[in-house]
Amino acid sequence: KLGTTGNNMTNKFKRDNFSENELKEIILKTLSEYEHDILVYYLKGYSYREISEKFNKKEKSIDNALQRIRKKILQAKASNN
């Protein structure tokens, strides 16, 4: 089950009219392996701190990665329209 944080992100994309299949396709095509891994942990409900500890990165690096992920997903959606 997704944690609250993951649900918030998923719900945001649903409000942006992403279908589940469309979102999966965009994620697989546009994210780096690192970004994909970060997103998986984030959607599982891990906190920035927990993710940063898993990847031995600073919390700000995790925040930057998640902002980059969101931007890439939204740009891919815009280019598909």
Side-chain angles (χ1 to χ4, degrees):
K1 183 176 179 185
L2 296 176
T4 305
T5 307
N7 282 336
N8 288 341
M9 187 174 203
T10 304
N11 288 338
K12 167 63 179 138
F13 288 123
K14 285 181 182 175
R15 287 193 307 269
D16 288 337
N17 297 316
F18 283 92
S19 72
E20 186 174 337
N21 287 336
E22 180 181 28
L23 189 54
K24 284 179 185 178
E25 183 178 333
I26 289 171
I27 288 169
L28 292 173
K29 286 183 177 180
T30 62
L31 299 185
S32 69
E33 183 178 342
Y34 173 73
E35 291 166 338
H36 178 269
D37 292 345
I38 296 294
L39 182 60
V40 167
Y41 280 100
Y42 181 76
L43 292 175
K44 286 182 178 181
Y46 285 74
S47 69
Y48 282 27
R49 182 177 41 83
E50 291 169 322
I51 298 169
S52 70
E53 290 170 359
K54 274 211 173 298
F55 288 89
N56 197 29
K57 301 282 185 182
K58 294 182 180 183
E59 284 184 54
K60 183 60 181 166
S61 295
I62 303 305
D63 178 60
N64 290 343
L66 287 166
Q67 294 306 317
R68 216 172 32 252
I69 290 165
R70 186 177 190 304
K71 183 178 179 180
K72 284 183 174 184
I73 291 170
L74 292 174
Q75 285 176 339
K77 170 70 173 176
S79 69
N80 287 338
N81 288 336

